[in-house]
């Protein structure tokens, strides 16, 4: 029952990250004739509608660290869900471009908060043996969000009224409302409770997560985990300063911060978002148009969530984090090289004058699908797991916030420069990602540690910044005095 309960908590809280995927519904909406008539078909305006969302995400992730430390993970998720309701309502009811763009910024701000907080919350409530699976549900929900967005947008385009674009934007209100109400009934993070001095509540949450009722073994495991996190967190509080400079104050903290930020940046450098965004153009370059292109795009959206689910269920907590990242980076070097070669020999401009080569068509489809599958079983879920689990409790919120900001900053940058690059140098632009992934591979092999199976408190041993003996002795003395006082009072 403990695993089932933990999975339910992580899966329900991850509803918030579905908006990261469902935000992709704007891609379908932009092409609808009713939407273009209401707003504009001007590429610059449509570009602003898309890019302002990512900007909002960046600022949301930036303030989420402070919100998590001040109000906790659970309340921050509630806050993000309420802001999503506001932003989606503005988009759904928009009658001019300004209102739509402001709604996009507001919704992006909220998703920035949730994209940082949900993995953090799941990291802190997850047992070490299944932490990869539980935090990996973040990527699973993002994939499901993209899948639902693609098909809802496709179905709604046949509606001959403004409902064609208002309905898909408005449907985002349903999961937001569910998250806002439902998160109230989930437990607080026990580690945050210990930080703010609510020790008895933290003990109850640990017992609840372990489902200790009627099981001596579970009670012992819960007690051991609670004591370990209690002693470590209380010792960290003695030296905590809550400054962003803490992220590079020591060599060990600098390494934690660089790895957390690097895995998020490297995820953008894989080029998966470029493949997804320009998927229809790639199908066209391979000679697939009309219904065939739509079918391929729909299937493409399905394979990602399936690959992620298999990976987080069977691989990430057995094989670890580092090996999938190495495999992913090496595979992307090969797939992007092949994709570039195929596009070089099958340029888009030639599709109308000569049929696509069947062999190149099959190879291109295979490489695009392989890239999606490998990403969904490597960088996709692992980036969320690793970025939040490497930090100590005292800097976990702000550290995860900075790492998530890196994700959104490079997401925004690449989404802006990629159309320019593809327009100016065509297939050669994909060679940029060959180079990026080669650098990713070298850095991961040389500098990334393995963190699977470690408790969050044991990360100090991995990075070499364990709590000093003096701090532990001071804490043990305080605990002994408190125990003696309790015994005397009773």
């Amino acid at each position: 029952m403990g695993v089932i309960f933990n999975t339910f908590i992580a899966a329900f809280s991850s509803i918030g990250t579905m908006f990261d995927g469902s935000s992709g519904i704007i891609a379908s909406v932009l092409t609808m004739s009713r939407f273009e008539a209401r707003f504009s078909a001007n590429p610059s305006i449509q570009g602003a509608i898309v890019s302002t969302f990512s900007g909002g995400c960046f600022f949301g992730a930036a303030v989420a660290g402070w919100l998590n430390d001040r109000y906790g993970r659970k309340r921050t998720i509630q806050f993000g869900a309420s802001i999503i309701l506001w932003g989606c309502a503005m988009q759904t009811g928009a009658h001019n471009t300004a209102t739509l763009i402001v709604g996009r910024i507001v919704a992006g701000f909220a998703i920035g908060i949730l994209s940082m907080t949900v993995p953090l919350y799941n990291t802190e409530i997850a047992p070490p043996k299944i932490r990869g699976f539980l935090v990996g549900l973040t990527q699973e929900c993002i994939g499901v969000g993209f899948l639902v967005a693609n098909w809802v947008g496709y179905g709604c385009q046949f509606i001959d009224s403004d409902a064609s674009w208002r309905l898909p934007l408005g449907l985002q209100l349903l999961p937001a409302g569910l998250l806002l109400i439902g998160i109230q009934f989930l437990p607080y993070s026990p580690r945050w409770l210990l930080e703010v001095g609510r020790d008895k509540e933290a003990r109850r949450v640990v017992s609840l997560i372990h489902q200790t009722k009627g099981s001596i073994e579970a009670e012992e495991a819960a007690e051991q985990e609670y004591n370990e996190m209690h002693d470590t967190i209380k010792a960290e509080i003695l030296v905590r300063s809550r400054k962003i400079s803490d992220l590079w104050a020591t060599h060990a903290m600098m390494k934690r911060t660089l790895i957390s930020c690097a895995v998020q940046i490297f995820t953008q450098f894989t080029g998966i978002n470029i493949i997804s965004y320009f998927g229809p153009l790639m199908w066209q370059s391979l000679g697939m148009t009309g219904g065939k292109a739509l079918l391929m795009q729909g299937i493409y959206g399905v394979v990602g969530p399936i690959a992620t689910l298999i990976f987080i269920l069977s691989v990430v907590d057995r094989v670890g984090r580092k090996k999938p990242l190495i495999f992913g980076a090496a595979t992307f070097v090969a797939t992007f090289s092949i994709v570039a070669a195929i596009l070089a020999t099958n340029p888009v401009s030639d599709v109308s004058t000569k049929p696509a080569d069947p062999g190149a068509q099959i190879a291109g489809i295979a490489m695009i699908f392989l890239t999606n599958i490998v990403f969904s079983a490597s960088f996709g879920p692992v980036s969320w797991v690793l970025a939040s689990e490497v930090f100590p409790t005292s800097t976990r919120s702000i550290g995860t916030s900075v790492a998530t900001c890196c994700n959104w900053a490079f997401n925004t940058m690449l989404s802006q420069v990629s159309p320019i690059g593809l327009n100016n140098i065509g297939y050669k632009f994909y060679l940029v990602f060959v180079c990026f992934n080669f650098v990713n591979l070298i850095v991961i092999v040389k500098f990334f540690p393995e963190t699977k199976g470690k408790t969050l408190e044991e990360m100090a041993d991995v990075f070499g910044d364990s709590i000093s003996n003096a701090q532990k002795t001071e804490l043990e003395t305080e605990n002994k005095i408190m125990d003696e006082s309790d015994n005397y009072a009773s």
Side-chain angles (χ1 to χ4, degrees), residues 425-487:
I425 60 177
Y427 73 90
K428 296 177 183 178
F429 185 68
Y430 290 96
L431 298 178
V432 173
F433 294 99
V434 174
C435 299
F436 278 162
N437 282 291
F438 185 72
V439 173
N440 291 355
L441 177 63
I442 295 174
V443 174
I444 292 167
V445 169
K446 189 169 181 62
F447 297 106
F448 275 41
E450 182 53 70
T451 58
K452 73 164 183 173
K454 300 287 187 181
T455 67
L456 298 181
E457 288 67 41
E458 289 174 342
M459 293 297 171
D461 296 324
V462 174
F463 290 93
D465 58 349
S466 299
I467 301 298
S468 67
N469 291 330
Q471 292 168 345
K472 289 183 177 179
T473 301
E474 182 179 352
L475 182 62
E476 289 172 358
T477 302
E478 292 179 357
N479 290 338
K480 184 176 181 180
I481 293 173
M482 292 178 63
D483 290 340
E484 291 176 351
S485 300
D486 292 340
N487 293 332

Side-chain angles (χ1 to χ4, degrees), residues 97-369:
T97 305
T99 303
L100 181 68
I101 289 179
V102 171
R104 293 282 293 168
I105 295 173
V106 171
F109 181 81
I111 291 176
I113 292 173
L114 293 178
S115 67
M116 174 264 169
T117 305
V118 171
L120 174 65
Y121 175 71
N122 288 343
T123 294
E124 294 190 340
I125 60 97
K129 292 183 179 180
I130 58 171
R131 187 169 60 242
F133 163 65
L134 296 183
V135 183
L137 286 171
T138 299
Q139 182 63 32
E140 178 68 14
C141 285
I142 291 174
V144 171
F146 271 111
L147 176 62
V148 172
N150 285 339
W151 289 106
V152 167
Y154 170 69
C156 289
Q157 69 178 322
F158 298 107
I159 302 175
D160 189 20
S161 68
D162 278 357
S164 62
W165 60 270
R166 293 191 192 276
L167 179 58
L169 292 177
L171 286 176
Q172 297 177 98
L173 295 168
L174 296 179
L178 179 63
L179 180 64
L180 176 63
I181 297 172
I183 195 70
Q184 176 64 32
F185 301 98
L186 298 187
Y188 287 95
S189 161
R191 290 173 169 86
W192 178 77
L193 290 172
L194 285 170
E195 275 195 283
V196 296
R198 295 158 64 174
D199 295 14
K200 292 183 179 180
E201 289 182 64
R203 186 186 292 273
R204 286 197 297 269
V205 171
V206 173
S207 298
L208 179 66
I209 292 173
H210 280 269
Q211 296 286 290
T212 59
K213 189 174 181 180
S215 173
I216 296 177
E217 182 179 349
E219 289 180 0
E220 292 176 349
E223 187 65 21
Q224 179 180 352
E225 182 175 354
Y226 172 79
N227 288 334
E228 182 178 4
M229 71 172 67
H230 175 276
D231 291 349
T232 301
I233 291 171
K234 296 300 182 182
E236 289 174 353
I237 290 175
L238 298 175
V239 295
R240 182 176 60 191
S241 66
R242 295 293 192 196
K243 296 184 297 185
I244 193 172
S245 59
D246 290 346
L247 296 179
W248 55 82
T250 65
H251 176 76
M253 278 304 305
M254 174 68 81
K255 185 177 181 180
R256 291 175 187 261
T257 303
L258 289 177
I259 288 174
S260 183
C261 293
V263 74
Q264 291 285 5
I265 295 171
F266 289 175
T267 299
Q268 295 301 319
F269 281 175
T270 62
I272 189 63
N273 287 334
I274 309 306
I275 289 286
S276 299
Y277 187 79
F278 293 100
L281 182 62
M282 298 184 73
W283 304 130
Q284 181 184 350
S285 71
L286 295 172
M288 305 181 70
T289 59
K292 288 185 178 180
L294 177 62
L295 177 62
M296 294 307 299
Q297 189 69 9
I299 297 174
Y300 176 86
V302 172
V303 298
I306 293 175
T308 296
L309 184 60
I310 294 173
F311 176 75
I312 62 178
L313 280 172
S314 307
V315 179
V316 66
D317 287 310
R318 296 181 182 179
V319 176
R321 289 48 160 156
K322 185 172 181 176
K323 290 179 181 178
L325 293 177
I326 293 173
F327 172 74
T331 301
F332 295 146
V333 170
T335 57
F336 273 99
S337 297
I338 296 173
V339 167
I342 293 172
L343 293 179
T345 56
N346 293 267
V348 177
S349 58
D350 291 347
V351 174
S352 59
T353 59
K354 68 176 183 178
D357 178 78
Q361 188 177 71
I362 294 174
I365 293 171
M367 290 302 102
I368 295 171
F369 272 76

